[in-house]
Amino acid sequence: MTLPRALTIAGSDSGGGAGIQADLKTFQELGAFGMSALTAVTAQNTQGVSGIYEMTAEAVARQMDAVLEDIGVDALKTGMIANVEIMETIAEKIRQHGVGPLVVDPVMVAKSGHSLLEKDARKALTQTLLPLALLVTPNLPEAEILVNQQLDTEAKRKDGARRILDMGASAVVIKGGHLEGETASDLFYDGESFLTFSAPRIHTRHTHGTGCTFSAAVTAELAKGRNLADAVYTAKKFITRAIARPLELGKGHGPTNHWAYNRDRDPEGVITRTLST
Ligand SMILES: Nc1ncnc2c1ncn2[C@@H]1O[C@H](COP(=O)(O)OP(=O)(O)OP(=O)(O)O)[C@@H](O)[C@H]1O
Ligand SMILES: Cc1ncc(CO)c(N)n1
């Protein structure tokens, strides 16, 4: 038998809730064969990040070559990248091997507030990886940094989405986890239409790694050949179920529950997909 092949290029979260660990668990649950290229090792738990140990750019390049020259991928994502040299290496390897579709999760800051991307790397992101991305998945603060503007109304977020496409990405989801209100609404734009994917906001502190899990779910669905809007819809369902059944691990912001998607059907009906202009 064959399985769709998905690669994550990201950092390790020793606590298992975010990063490579979240990505591989998500790939597995969605039926993709997961592979990884590690960019950094973090010493991290539900309370915070106590150490960051970056890989060399050479180590990242070799991992990507090893996977791409032999096994190949049907879709790939990037997460925590840490520095400009690694970012440029990843972009070069993606171009060299001609691989895609690519989902770029522009990870900048952990939920605990720790910076995961050096400040000078923020600008490099828009120049190196965004032009290669089929989809970029910023949370609200990351989207505001990318466009250098507050996105505190829907009209501004739509304008921000248009500007992110001007930077070269083919599509964007501005995630709404950081918004106030009773729904968690994500704004999708592909240059043609705006779609809002909404779910009821779940009142929990266990949201560590939601962004990693969401972008990994999109990547797994793309690896299966799904179209982008359907992949985003499934990712929204996946993350909603994973947040809805917290594992209550650790003393801080605990991980989501990747196990829930295939075993817990409850929140399925509550995702809405709305088209707007
Ligand atoms: N409390 C919540 N209830 C329901 N959905 C949520 C909640 N928090 C986040 N989400 C959803 O989870 C997904 C990830 O969004 P979020 O904005 O939290 O990402 P993030 O900040 O990048 O996450 P992280 O940095 O922890 O990896 C989005 O689909 C968002 O709407
Ligand atoms: C390794 C890693 N990647 C991404 C995030 C963002 O949630 C995190 N906390 N840790």
Side-chain angles (χ1 to χ4, degrees):
M1 81 181 267
T2 58
L3 283 179
R5 301 154 299 177
L7 169 66
T8 171
I9 305 164
S12 164
D13 167 11
S14 52
I20 293 268
Q21 289 79 359
D23 295 344
L24 292 176
K25 291 173 198 181
T26 305
F27 291 164
Q28 181 77 12
E29 290 293 336
L30 286 170
F33 179 74
M35 295 167 283
S36 62
L38 219 60
T39 58
V41 171
T42 70
Q44 190 175 175
N45 58 24
T46 66
Q47 295 178 295
V49 180
S50 54
I52 296 181
Y53 310 91
E54 295 173 9
M55 296 288 114
T56 61
E58 166 80 9
V60 177
R62 290 291 78 78
Q63 293 173 81
M64 289 181 68
D65 283 340
V67 169
L68 298 172
E69 283 168 3
D70 177 34
I71 303 167
V73 300
D74 296 301
L76 71 167
K77 68 157 274 189
T78 61
M80 174 188 177
I81 291 177
N83 67 49
V84 175
E85 200 191 348
I86 294 178
M87 194 175 289
E88 285 171 351
T89 300
I90 294 169
E92 189 189 314
K93 285 290 161 195
I94 288 172
R95 275 195 303 267
Q96 179 195 329
H97 291 280
V99 283
L102 170 68
V103 176
V104 172
D105 185 7
V107 172
M108 295 181 192
V109 181
K111 280 262 152 70
S112 54
H114 291 81
S115 177
L116 298 175
L117 180 72
E118 290 168 0
K119 287 241 159 69
D120 60 343
R122 291 176 174 180
K123 212 167 120 213
L125 187 69
T126 57
Q127 286 157 0
T128 55
L129 279 179
L130 251 50
L132 300 174
L134 173 64
L135 181 71
V136 54
T137 61
N139 63 24
L140 198 58
E142 289 158 354
E144 292 183 333
I145 289 167
L146 288 175
V147 300
N148 197 23
Q149 190 195 320
Q150 267 206 325
L151 302 176
D152 51 1
T153 64
E154 195 183 325
K156 285 187 196 167
R157 286 192 283 282
K158 286 185 170 172
D159 190 46
R162 286 189 193 95
R163 287 180 49 200
I164 289 171
L165 261 64
D166 289 342
M167 294 171 191
S170 300
V172 62
V173 177
I174 300 179
K175 297 172 295 185
H178 296 248
L179 281 168
E180 307 272 298
E182 284 310 302
T183 55
S185 295
D186 305 338
L187 180 67
F188 170 86
Y189 181 57
D190 62 1
E192 279 179 21
S193 41
F194 285 99
L195 288 171
T196 302
F197 295 89
S198 295
R201 180 169 298 280
I202 299 152
H203 296 282
T204 171
R205 65 190 160 92
H206 300 303
T207 54
H208 177 73
T210 48
C212 304
T213 300
F214 178 82
S215 57
V218 176
T219 307
E221 291 301 296
L222 291 175
K224 293 179 193 170
R226 305 275 187 269
N227 77 49
L228 192 50
D230 287 348
V232 172
Y233 179 78
T234 299
K236 183 71 175 162
K237 238 167 33 180
F238 190 100
I239 193 60
T240 303
R241 287 182 193 172
I243 298 170
R245 297 287 174 266
L247 294 164
E248 310 286 355
L249 293 173
K251 303 182 186 79
H253 293 290
T256 67
N257 183 354
H258 299 89
W259 185 87
Y261 180 75
N262 288 310
R263 295 153 188 99
D264 178 358
R265 301 269 144 198
D266 285 346
E268 181 165 14
V270 299
I271 311 291
T272 60
R273 179 185 338 206
T274 325
L275 184 67
S276 65
T277 48

